[in-house]
Amino acid sequence: MSRFSIRKVAVLGAGVMGAQIAAHCANADVPVILFDLPAKDGAPNGIVTKSLGVLKKLDPAPFAAKDRLQYVEPANYGSDLARLAECDLVIEAIAEKMEWKLDLYARVAPYLKPGAVFASNTSGLSISALAAGMPAELRGRFCGVHFFNPPRYMPLVELVATPDTDPAVLDGLEAWLTTRLGKSIVRGRDTPNFVANRVGVFSILAVLHHTARLGLAFDEVDLLTGPRIGRPKSATFRTADVVGLDTVAHVIDTMQATLADDPWSAHFRTPDWLRALIAKGALGQKAGAGIYRKEGKRILVLDLHKQDYVDSGGEVFPDVEEILQLRDPVEKFAELAAHPHPQAQFLWSVFRDVFHYCAVHLADIADNARDIDLAMRWGFGWAMGPFETWQAGGWKDIARAIQDDIDHGHAMARVPLPAWVAARDGVHEPAGSWSAAEGRLKARTALPVYARQLYPDRVLGEAAADRGELLWENAGVRLWRRPDQDADIGIVSITSKMHAIGDEDMDGMLEAIARAESDLDGLVIWHEPPFAVGANLMQVAQACQDKQFDLLERMVAKFQRTALAIKHAQVPVVAAVQGMALGGGCEFAMHAAHRVLALESYVGLVEVGVGLIPAGGGSKEFALQAHRLAQRAAGGDVFPYVQNAFETIARATVAKSALEAVQLGFARSSDDIVFNANELLYVAIRRARALAEAGWHPSQPLPAVTVAGRNGIATCEMMLLNMAEGGFISPHDYKVAKAAATALCGGEVDSGSAVSEQWILDVERAQFVELLKTQRTQQRIVHMLETGKPLRN
């Protein structure tokens, strides 16, 4: 097969999923034609245009930047089908009706480009049955490609083949989805609801069953089935409201209709209370009411006994809370199974039945246990998959407890555990994960695309990650390398909690850079996310409490020196950014020779939230940007560019993607944006090597930077006065924002003055330390440390 290439995509169906799949392709610079029915009234593309308008209002945003919308073209089936010939990949995402899909396939098939891949985003209909409705010559290029909602943020895509699907097509599509769209792929079997939904919906059904059996309240169950057991904050019933109660009922009905032979089929039934809510239009969040309802600031929850909404106030029983806090999962499961309280029995019962279900169906629905565990992590946001959880909790003890409950009629189904369960000590080993269908351990796929993932998501019991070769470390950082990738490119990783940058981290970074200049060709700053949440506020707060302001001034000077060392190192320093890069973390990244950013990077100078301003060179870097942009513009006035930076800093604006980080000036258009975060280090190492091979050398500090000076500060103050008079900012907000303006404008100098970079650094440092001396800034710092939230004082 020739090189797999997708230059343009068509998405059929502009509903919730179709439109968001189109948006994510646009995020990746892939042009999309988004189709739907021609509108009955108005413009023919009205349905698609309206859908795209809805996307612009969604939160979290499907588009990674507002300009991505221009890459999605509206079209309709009535007049535009010939345009399918432009597309290399066509994704069908219409309603889950077999007859509607087959009818659409018959209409579009004659227009498909030779060699184009055609895929259905069905969440559970038979892929083989859909393929049967297509011309025979297209079946080799047809498969299921099931995205999870919301497609930009949920990693999982299930790829499902038919017996006719060309393996090379599937391999090529997996590689493209992995790198270009940043997806995590599980190959599912062509069984109802595939992998994640099959297990996830059963888990919901188990929760429904045991909630009713034990008489627990819905909000009580959500407290039990959220972060306390490694599940998303929305837990079970809040998630149902978000997804839509009608959608939940539809998925349950699908299981009931297609899985009559399943040993658990008696439980595949939508509860009467859920049908009653749907009948009266209480569909969840989209309808304003469902299992929960919000009235002003009050959160109400449905009480089945009272047949009415009551104030939400569920609590976890103290003994159960204590059990859930246990660090040893073996002890935790033993305690849950033994404790008589209904909440403990609820949790044990749900875990038991999900483990039982997964063991019985492993051979039918998945190639191996790893696929089920990763599908639940990537598609449902579980911290650990069901098999990992079972293995961590003591495989044989839990297996005996499950079988005992089956024998005594306590489990949801009487089918025994498969024989392989008792014969093993778990399903994950360094050699691979258990395949019940093949009766052996299976290693990960050898597709070349996965060589780019140096640290892929691993399951419990899998071979440990390669920690590389240690070169040097202190209490704050670790300098190491991966000789299998490039022995002469160093990797420096901050090791403090949340990668907050303190004194020991700065010392370590300075030493790592010095060693790289002496012994290496380049350096990459990389560690697991977040990139860095800023300066170590605990150290700052302690110094403020002790009134050690001279020490604080020296700390800020060292921070600036460290940022400059990154910028002016004699070898290229590449910042590999993922997750939050805030405050000082953002400043470190801004000073790097180059940035490689994961799409989901949230970058910003947020110091005003604790009553401070950027003083690690962030203000200076924005002043330099304004100087350079003004030099290229007619008139050479720097203030318009300073104004943009001032608004960004004064509002503590955080880029909600790497694309926005570029637009806001935290990164450059020449930087690399990587959609699959697991490829970040691979790309960063190679970018550092490329810079070194190209003869990279550091830029010299500018001796003369044109600044906005007093007039710039005054203009910023006029903006602040209007906000203060309108009650939008407090007097201390005003003081902090004026300090930010002073640093950005180069201090109290004549407008248009030329100053050195060091001058601007001195100004920002002086403003920062003066703010630290104020009581209100100190209160903001303490409040942030205690609550994790900014204080408005």
Side-chain angles (χ1 to χ4, degrees), residues 604-621:
L605 295 171
V606 296
E607 287 86 350
V608 297
V610 289
L612 295 168
I613 67 166
S619 300
K620 179 261 301 178
E621 284 298 300

PDB file of all heavy atoms in Angstrom, residues 604-621:
ATOM      1  N   GLY A 604       0.070  30.556  30.933  1.00  0.00           N
ATOM      2  CA  GLY A 604      -0.289  31.920  31.275  1.00  0.00           C
ATOM      3  C   GLY A 604       0.566  32.495  32.377  1.00  0.00           C
ATOM      4  O   GLY A 604       1.167  31.775  33.183  1.00  0.00           O
ATOM      5  N   LEU A 605       0.622  33.824  32.413  1.00  0.00           N
ATOM      6  CA  LEU A 605       1.280  34.563  33.490  1.00  0.00           C
ATOM      7  C   LEU A 605       0.167  35.004  34.444  1.00  0.00           C
ATOM      8  O   LEU A 605      -0.539  35.979  34.183  1.00  0.00           O
ATOM      9  CB  LEU A 605       2.038  35.760  32.914  1.00  0.00           C
ATOM     10  CG  LEU A 605       3.209  35.393  31.991  1.00  0.00           C
ATOM     11  CD1 LEU A 605       3.776  36.628  31.298  1.00  0.00           C
ATOM     12  CD2 LEU A 605       4.311  34.672  32.782  1.00  0.00           C
ATOM     13  N   VAL A 606       0.014  34.267  35.527  1.00  0.00           N
ATOM     14  CA  VAL A 606      -1.164  34.408  36.391  1.00  0.00           C
ATOM     15  C   VAL A 606      -0.822  35.037  37.741  1.00  0.00           C
ATOM     16  O   VAL A 606      -1.615  34.962  38.684  1.00  0.00           O
ATOM     17  CB  VAL A 606      -1.821  33.030  36.611  1.00  0.00           C
ATOM     18  CG1 VAL A 606      -2.350  32.477  35.309  1.00  0.00           C
ATOM     19  CG2 VAL A 606      -0.833  32.043  37.245  1.00  0.00           C
ATOM     20  N   GLU A 607       0.322  35.680  37.821  1.00  0.00           N
ATOM     21  CA  GLU A 607       0.793  36.186  39.111  1.00  0.00           C
ATOM     22  C   GLU A 607      -0.183  37.159  39.763  1.00  0.00           C
ATOM     23  O   GLU A 607      -0.228  37.256  40.993  1.00  0.00           O
ATOM     24  CB  GLU A 607       2.158  36.864  38.934  1.00  0.00           C
ATOM     25  CG  GLU A 607       3.318  35.901  38.698  1.00  0.00           C
ATOM     26  CD  GLU A 607       3.512  35.512  37.236  1.00  0.00           C
ATOM     27  OE1 GLU A 607       2.614  35.836  36.412  1.00  0.00           O
ATOM     28  OE2 GLU A 607       4.530  34.887  36.909  1.00  0.00           O
ATOM     29  N   VAL A 608      -0.951  37.919  38.974  1.00  0.00           N
ATOM     30  CA  VAL A 608      -1.871  38.889  39.578  1.00  0.00           C
ATOM     31  C   VAL A 608      -2.875  38.199  40.489  1.00  0.00           C
ATOM     32  O   VAL A 608      -3.428  38.822  41.402  1.00  0.00           O
ATOM     33  CB  VAL A 608      -2.614  39.728  38.512  1.00  0.00           C
ATOM     34  CG1 VAL A 608      -1.636  40.559  37.708  1.00  0.00           C
ATOM     35  CG2 VAL A 608      -3.480  38.871  37.623  1.00  0.00           C
ATOM     36  N   GLY A 609      -3.108  36.910  40.280  1.00  0.00           N
ATOM     37  CA  GLY A 609      -4.033  36.165  41.140  1.00  0.00           C
ATOM     38  C   GLY A 609      -3.573  36.097  42.579  1.00  0.00           C
ATOM     39  O   GLY A 609      -4.377  35.879  43.490  1.00  0.00           O
ATOM     40  N   VAL A 610      -2.262  36.246  42.817  1.00  0.00           N
ATOM     41  CA  VAL A 610      -1.741  36.285  44.183  1.00  0.00           C
ATOM     42  C   VAL A 610      -1.147  37.657  44.488  1.00  0.00           C
ATOM     43  O   VAL A 610      -0.274  37.799  45.360  1.00  0.00           O
ATOM     44  CB  VAL A 610      -0.703  35.166  44.437  1.00  0.00           C
ATOM     45  CG1 VAL A 610      -1.383  33.817  44.491  1.00  0.00           C
ATOM     46  CG2 VAL A 610       0.407  35.188  43.398  1.00  0.00           C
ATOM     47  N   GLY A 611      -1.601  38.678  43.754  1.00  0.00           N
ATOM     48  CA  GLY A 611      -1.192  40.043  44.044  1.00  0.00           C
ATOM     49  C   GLY A 611       0.219  40.382  43.620  1.00  0.00           C
ATOM     50  O   GLY A 611       0.850  41.283  44.190  1.00  0.00           O
ATOM     51  N   LEU A 612       0.729  39.680  42.597  1.00  0.00           N
ATOM     52  CA  LEU A 612       2.086  39.913  42.115  1.00  0.00           C
ATOM     53  C   LEU A 612       2.071  40.141  40.613  1.00  0.00           C
ATOM     54  O   LEU A 612       1.021  40.122  39.977  1.00  0.00           O
ATOM     55  CB  LEU A 612       2.976  38.710  42.479  1.00  0.00           C
ATOM     56  CG  LEU A 612       3.201  38.476  43.972  1.00  0.00           C
ATOM     57  CD1 LEU A 612       3.837  37.115  44.222  1.00  0.00           C
ATOM     58  CD2 LEU A 612       4.069  39.600  44.563  1.00  0.00           C
ATOM     59  N   ILE A 613       3.249  40.340  40.032  1.00  0.00           N
ATOM     60  CA  ILE A 613       3.388  40.494  38.591  1.00  0.00           C
ATOM     61  C   ILE A 613       4.470  39.540  38.102  1.00  0.00           C
ATOM     62  O   ILE A 613       5.281  39.052  38.901  1.00  0.00           O
ATOM     63  CB  ILE A 613       3.748  41.945  38.192  1.00  0.00           C
ATOM     64  CG1 ILE A 613       5.160  42.305  38.694  1.00  0.00           C
ATOM     65  CG2 ILE A 613       2.701  42.926  38.698  1.00  0.00           C
ATOM     66  CD1 ILE A 613       5.726  43.570  38.075  1.00  0.00           C
ATOM     67  N   PRO A 614       4.519  39.231  36.809  1.00  0.00           N
ATOM     68  CA  PRO A 614       5.615  38.401  36.290  1.00  0.00           C
ATOM     69  C   PRO A 614       6.948  39.105  36.515  1.00  0.00           C
ATOM     70  O   PRO A 614       7.119  40.251  36.110  1.00  0.00           O
ATOM     71  CB  PRO A 614       5.301  38.280  34.797  1.00  0.00           C
ATOM     72  CG  PRO A 614       3.847  38.620  34.673  1.00  0.00           C
ATOM     73  CD  PRO A 614       3.563  39.615  35.748  1.00  0.00           C
ATOM     74  N   ALA A 615       7.865  38.402  37.181  1.00  0.00           N
ATOM     75  CA  ALA A 615       9.165  39.015  37.454  1.00  0.00           C
ATOM     76  C   ALA A 615      10.305  38.060  37.187  1.00  0.00           C
ATOM     77  O   ALA A 615      11.446  38.330  37.561  1.00  0.00           O
ATOM     78  CB  ALA A 615       9.231  39.503  38.906  1.00  0.00           C
ATOM     79  N   GLY A 616      10.022  36.944  36.533  1.00  0.00           N
ATOM     80  CA  GLY A 616      11.078  36.016  36.136  1.00  0.00           C
ATOM     81  C   GLY A 616      11.474  36.225  34.692  1.00  0.00           C
ATOM     82  O   GLY A 616      11.953  35.303  34.028  1.00  0.00           O
ATOM     83  N   GLY A 617      11.261  37.436  34.201  1.00  0.00           N
ATOM     84  CA  GLY A 617      11.576  37.756  32.807  1.00  0.00           C
ATOM     85  C   GLY A 617      10.352  37.765  31.908  1.00  0.00           C
ATOM     86  O   GLY A 617      10.475  38.089  30.726  1.00  0.00           O
ATOM     87  N   GLY A 618       9.189  37.456  32.441  1.00  0.00           N
ATOM     88  CA  GLY A 618       7.980  37.432  31.600  1.00  0.00           C
ATOM     89  C   GLY A 618       7.598  38.811  31.103  1.00  0.00           C
ATOM     90  O   GLY A 618       7.263  38.992  29.925  1.00  0.00           O
ATOM     91  N   SER A 619       7.647  39.809  31.997  1.00  0.00           N
ATOM     92  CA  SER A 619       7.347  41.185  31.572  1.00  0.00           C
ATOM     93  C   SER A 619       8.375  41.648  30.544  1.00  0.00           C
ATOM     94  O   SER A 619       8.034  42.278  29.524  1.00  0.00           O
ATOM     95  CB  SER A 619       7.365  42.115  32.789  1.00  0.00           C
ATOM     96  OG  SER A 619       6.407  41.707  33.741  1.00  0.00           O
ATOM     97  N   LYS A 620       9.631  41.311  30.800  1.00  0.00           N
ATOM     98  CA  LYS A 620      10.710  41.691  29.869  1.00  0.00           C
ATOM     99  C   LYS A 620      10.506  41.064  28.496  1.00  0.00           C
ATOM    100  O   LYS A 620      10.681  41.723  27.455  1.00  0.00           O
ATOM    101  CB  LYS A 620      12.054  41.271  30.470  1.00  0.00           C
ATOM    102  CG  LYS A 620      13.274  41.572  29.621  1.00  0.00           C
ATOM    103  CD  LYS A 620      13.760  40.366  28.832  1.00  0.00           C
ATOM    104  CE  LYS A 620      14.118  39.207  29.731  1.00  0.00           C
ATOM    105  NZ  LYS A 620      14.546  38.015  28.937  1.00  0.00           N
ATOM    106  N   GLU A 621      10.100  39.788  28.456  1.00  0.00           N
ATOM    107  CA  GLU A 621       9.901  39.117  27.171  1.00  0.00           C
ATOM    108  C   GLU A 621       8.773  39.763  26.379  1.00  0.00           C
ATOM    109  O   GLU A 621       8.863  39.928  25.155  1.00  0.00           O
ATOM    110  CB  GLU A 621       9.621  37.625  27.378  1.00  0.00           C
ATOM    111  CG  GLU A 621      10.853  36.810  27.723  1.00  0.00           C
ATOM    112  CD  GLU A 621      11.892  36.830  26.613  1.00  0.00           C
ATOM    113  OE1 GLU A 621      11.583  36.387  25.482  1.00  0.00           O
ATOM    114  OE2 GLU A 621      13.028  37.309  26.856  1.00  0.00           O
TER     115      GLU A 621
END
